[in-house]
């Protein structure tokens, strides 16, 4: 499921992120990928040791916590500490697939079920830089306003087009979901959304209660904790 999640960060938060990122030390993005990725990746990232990466990453996690839409869609179990990248001067990342298992710490690993890109500047500030996601329906090209995020299955091939004017700033990270299957997660999300709508419209309470029960029982059946 490809989903646009608007307004993860407020305009004030975006401005603060941009101020911090301007004075941060960036490093070559090839440091965090394997040899295949390194052949097609040309961008910059905040290094793991960067204090800005840790502090802004925590701010992203706190912002995600405020988003019911993110929780309903991702059903997160583990989230990799957010990273930050910058594309400029023709920088791009050719078609690739994200790693399937990632280290959270020396003793803990996670599976990447969902990839997330949180845009930190507006599409009119750069040319190119679209996130292109390929699935069975074709290719989807994504560029969102600053503060908005997109989530998509980590199983999809994707790329970032060359940035030929200005610079593109984003945070990106992966989520291990309670529900591994994208199609099961999508059905749960649709059911959750429908229950919210029915509740808001004061629909028959017994029917809503029963549907809510089905939602939780499916989540019980499909979730891994
Ligand atoms: Ni990727």
């Amino acid at each position: 499921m490809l989903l646009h999640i608007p307004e993860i960060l407020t305009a004030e938060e975006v401005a603060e992120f941009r101020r911090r990122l301007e004075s941060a030390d960036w490093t070559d993005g090839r440091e965090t990928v394997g040899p295949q990725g390194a052949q097609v990746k040309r961008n910059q990232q905040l290094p793991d040791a960067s204090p800005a990466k840790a502090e802004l990453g925590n701010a992203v996690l706190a912002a995600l916590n405020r988003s019911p839409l993110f929780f309903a869609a991702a059903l997160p179990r583990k989230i990799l500490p957010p990273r930050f990248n910058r594309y400029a001067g023709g920088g791009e990342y050719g078609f690739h697939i994200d790693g399937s298992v990632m280290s959270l710490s020396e003793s803990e690993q996670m599976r990447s079920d969902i990839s997330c890109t949180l845009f930190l500047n507006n599409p009119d500030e750069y040319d190119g830089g679209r996130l292109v996601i390929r699935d069975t329906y074709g290719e989807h090209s994504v560029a969102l306003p600053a503060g908005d995020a997109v989530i998509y299955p980590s199983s999809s091939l994707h790329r970032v087009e060359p940035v030929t004017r200005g610079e593109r700033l984003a945070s990106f990270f992966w989520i291990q979901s309670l529900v591994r299957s994208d199609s099961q997660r999508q059905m749960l999300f649709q059911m959750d959304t429908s229950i919210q709508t029915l509740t808001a419209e004061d629909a028959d309470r017994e029917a809503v209660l029963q549907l809510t029960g089905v939602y939780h029982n499916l989540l019980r059946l499909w979730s891994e904790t």
Side-chain angles (χ1 to χ4, degrees):
M1 174 173 59
L2 179 70
L3 186 72
H4 172 190
I5 304 179
E7 295 173 7
I8 294 283
L9 297 177
T10 64
E12 294 73 31
E13 286 171 326
V14 169
E16 174 64 13
F17 271 59
R18 302 260 317 253
R19 199 182 59 74
R20 292 290 307 274
L21 291 177
E22 257 170 43
S23 58
D25 286 323
W26 294 84
T27 186
D28 191 320
R30 281 174 285 207
E31 285 174 16
T32 54
V33 287
Q36 266 196 3
Q39 287 176 18
V40 291
K41 188 174 185 185
R42 284 195 295 130
N43 69 359
Q44 292 181 303
Q45 283 179 204
L46 291 190
D48 274 343
S50 156
K53 175 185 179 268
E55 287 161 30
L56 296 178
N58 285 335
V60 170
L61 294 176
L64 293 174
N65 258 322
R66 304 188 304 240
S67 171
L69 183 60
F70 172 78
F71 265 78
L75 298 169
R77 178 163 181 262
K78 298 179 182 183
I79 303 179
L80 195 87
R83 296 176 180 172
F84 296 84
N85 61 17
R86 176 165 76 176
Y87 291 83
E92 65 176 315
Y93 196 169
F95 267 121
H96 65 280
I97 191 130
D98 295 336
S100 49
V101 178
M102 301 174 173
S103 285
L104 272 174
S105 67
E106 275 185 19
S107 58
E108 190 180 4
Q109 293 186 310
M110 63 172 275
R111 187 185 62 236
S112 59
D113 295 319
I114 301 169
S115 303
C116 182
T117 297
L118 170 61
F119 291 82
L120 295 174
N121 60 345
N122 287 312
D124 62 5
E125 295 175 67
Y126 53 89
D127 287 337
R130 270 51 187 164
L131 170 65
V132 178
I133 299 157
R134 185 186 283 170
D135 67 16
T136 49
Y137 292 99
E139 291 188 356
H140 310 272
S141 177
V142 182
L144 298 175
D148 288 14
V150 63
I151 59 171
Y152 57 98
S154 299
S155 52
S156 343
L157 279 175
H158 56 278
R159 70 182 180 113
V160 175
E161 295 176 331
V163 171
T164 53
R165 175 187 64 88
E167 62 176 21
R168 174 198 192 269
L169 293 167
S171 174
F172 64 104
F173 50 92
W174 293 271
I175 299 134
Q176 177 175 330
S177 178
L178 287 165
V179 176
R180 178 197 291 228
S181 152
D182 183 60
S183 61
Q184 289 176 338
R185 217 182 306 118
Q186 179 163 6
M187 285 190 278
L188 286 170
F189 176 65
Q190 288 168 339
M191 185 177 286
D192 189 4
T193 312
S194 299
I195 292 170
Q196 305 300 332
T197 306
L198 291 170
T199 305
E201 289 174 355
D202 223 10
D204 182 274
R205 280 191 194 174
E206 274 302 311
V208 172
L209 194 60
Q210 188 149 315
L211 268 182
T212 307
V214 172
Y215 172 85
H216 282 287
N217 288 333
L218 284 173
L219 184 56
R220 208 183 319 276
L221 201 60
W222 290 340
S223 61
E224 308 161 351
T225 58

